[in-house]
Amino acid sequence: MALADLARKGLFLFDPETAHGLSIAALKSGLVPVCPQKTDPRLRQTVAGLEFFNPLGMAAGYDKNAEVPEALLRLGFGFAEIGTVTPKPQSGNPKPRIFRLAGDEAVINRLGFNNEGHAAALERLKSCARDALIGVNIGANKDSEDRVADYVAGIRTFYDVARYFTANISSPNTPGLRDLQARESLAALLSAVLAARAEQAAQSGRRVPVFLKIAPDLAEEGLDDIAEVSLAHDLDGLIVSNTTLSRDGLSDRTHANEAGGLSGKPLFARSTAVLAKMRKRVGEALPIIGVGGVNSAETAAEKIRAGADLVQLYSCMVYAGPGLPASIVKGLSALCDRERLASIRDIRGTRTGYWAEKNL
Ligand SMILES: Cc1cc2nc3c(=O)[nH]c(=O)nc-3n(C[C@H](O)[C@H](O)[C@H](O)COP(=O)(O)O)c2cc1C
């Protein structure tokens, strides 16, 4: 058994949150095997003006405090998203608050934006290489009296160190946060956030893209509203999706009744359908990052076929281990060989119609 496999099995002896902390410590220590970033030109992507070595990123929530973004890139990811960070540090919900559903390759979490706050993450990001493709996922404190102001503070604080921003309004674990997805609230949020970005861009001469991360638990009308408001503002892209409140598709009922957001394999179908429905609505105007249940090169490719420009993952790495990003990237190159593609982008949108027709 490979060392990484052994380490992964060992981590399962610990509760999920302790295991997560140990995996961060392992990445910090450099104990995890490194995958040199091979640059298959067919996997290179330019999205929102940024150049990605490959289309696979680490999703937000793994490295909430920006402790190991460069180590994540060394595992083979083309980009890494840190956060969600909130202005003030906060401890999140009482433990236990992460649950493994191993039979389903799924996770339920109700962490509630536990993080060390803006200042701590900023200090760490200042020491990262300027060209490392690190995105900063911003949110609002639970007790905030002005949530929009918290997002604006995120833009101002991290402007010099972020290659892109994600405004996360879709965590189910901060009461009321998802209400920011409603038409009027979203318009107010985007106006304020994008005005702050415009100010910073004018001062620095550098325009940092801003993406919006949405929930998979939206009905068709909700998707219409988000698409319209997004297109009416100077937004750079959508991330589809966050975790779901639904418990559909679970065979392992052990923790099914725990409150929180479900992620991993059972989220794949719903998040991919929502992604395709958004692609239909926004056309070519906005890049989309597809996330939810990616566990292989084939599922990553299917997100791209459904209309994604880039793909992210988190939960399935808990089960597959740190070799997963490198194996997916290799698998995408193999797919390019097999299908004689000049670029992985050639499959983008080829199955948007199929996925967009699914009932939510
Ligand atoms: C333990 C855990 C913590 C997460 N924390 C965040 C977070 O802080 N911010 C965020 O935008 N998404 C967060 N997510 C959601 C992921 O970024 C991702 O959108 C979701 O899990 C679906 O992808 P996956 O099925 O590959 O995990 C979290 C997910 C998990 C499992």
Side-chain angles (χ1 to χ4, degrees):
M1 195 184 296
L3 192 62
D5 251 5
L6 206 66
R8 184 178 51 80
K9 294 232 159 67
L11 283 180
F12 272 63
L13 299 173
F14 297 90
D15 72 89
E17 201 160 344
T18 307
H20 171 257
L22 289 170
S23 77
I24 296 254
L27 281 174
K28 265 190 192 164
S29 72
L31 277 175
V32 180
V34 168
C35 159
Q37 239 185 18
K38 293 222 188 70
T39 54
D40 180 341
R42 298 169 303 182
L43 300 187
R44 286 191 175 214
Q45 304 291 314
T46 304
V47 178
L50 299 173
E51 301 221 357
F52 296 80
F53 281 120
N54 69 61
L56 183 69
M58 182 76 207
Y62 175 75
D63 188 8
K64 286 185 185 268
N65 296 306
E67 294 175 273
V68 290
E70 291 179 299
L72 288 169
L73 296 175
R74 286 194 290 272
L75 291 181
F77 284 114
F79 60 113
E81 189 168 312
I82 70 99
T84 295
V85 279
T86 57
K88 289 184 296 172
Q90 61 180 30
S91 54
N93 291 319
K95 295 180 187 175
R97 51 194 183 171
I98 310 183
F99 305 88
R100 291 187 198 106
L101 293 79
D104 288 312
E105 268 183 67
V107 173
I108 290 177
N109 93 82
R110 53 168 177 269
L111 288 167
F113 287 171
N114 56 315
N115 78 108
E116 295 171 13
H118 281 180
L122 178 64
E123 270 325 295
R124 295 191 184 110
L125 289 173
K126 278 183 182 165
S127 65
C128 293
R130 302 296 290 192
D131 62 346
L133 228 155
I134 302 170
V136 176
N137 180 308
I138 51 177
N141 278 115
K142 185 179 177 187
D143 64 358
S144 170
E145 281 175 12
D146 184 349
R147 288 195 165 159
V148 171
D150 283 12
Y151 289 89
V152 168
I155 299 281
R156 296 206 170 114
T157 304
F158 293 100
Y159 204 80
D160 290 339
V161 293
R163 299 294 303 285
Y164 73 84
F165 285 103
T166 299
N168 174 20
I169 52 169
S170 46
S171 165
N173 301 315
T174 295
L177 192 85
R178 285 181 165 199
D179 298 345
L180 287 170
Q181 295 178 124
R183 182 182 274 274
E184 277 78 34
S185 320
L186 181 59
L189 174 83
L190 289 185
S191 300
V193 163
L194 296 171
R197 188 268 301 274
E199 246 170 55
Q200 298 292 319
Q203 277 169 29
S204 66
R206 207 169 58 95
R207 185 183 189 280
V208 178
V210 176
F211 301 137
L212 181 73
K213 184 164 178 179
I214 66 170
D217 304 325
L218 291 154
E220 302 275 355
E221 308 75 56
L223 297 178
D224 288 341
D225 287 352
I226 292 177
E228 269 178 47
V229 175
S230 297
L231 289 172
H233 289 80
D234 195 17
L235 189 71
D236 298 275
L238 295 167
I239 303 192
V240 186
S241 72
N242 215 309
T243 58
T244 180
L245 290 171
S246 151
R247 296 294 182 260
D248 288 353
L250 286 184
S251 56
D252 177 348
R253 307 298 301 178
T254 330
H255 296 298
N257 294 330
E258 293 292 348
L262 172 72
S263 54
K265 205 170 160 190
L267 176 59
F268 180 79
R270 188 173 179 105
S271 59
T272 308
V274 173
L275 150 63
K277 287 172 191 285
M278 285 314 272
R279 174 55 74 207
K280 280 251 176 198
R281 284 165 170 81
V282 303
E284 292 301 305
L286 281 180
I288 301 182
I289 301 180
V291 48
V294 169
N295 64 355
S296 62
E298 187 41 45
T299 45
E302 194 61 14
K303 291 277 188 200
I304 298 174
R305 293 188 194 104
D309 297 271
L310 300 167
V311 176
Q312 290 177 321
L313 64 81
Y314 176 177
S315 301
C316 291
M317 204 162 103
V318 170
Y319 300 104
L324 184 62
S327 95
I328 291 181
V329 169
K330 207 168 141 202
L332 290 176
S333 287
L335 186 144
C336 290
D337 289 341
R338 243 182 1 257
E339 301 191 9
R340 298 178 200 285
L341 305 176
S343 164
I344 191 69
R345 212 174 163 74
D346 295 349
I347 64 170
R348 179 174 161 277
T350 50
R351 275 162 63 80
T352 300
Y354 168 84
W355 282 103
E357 273 169 24
K358 301 258 179 210
N359 287 329
L360 291 178

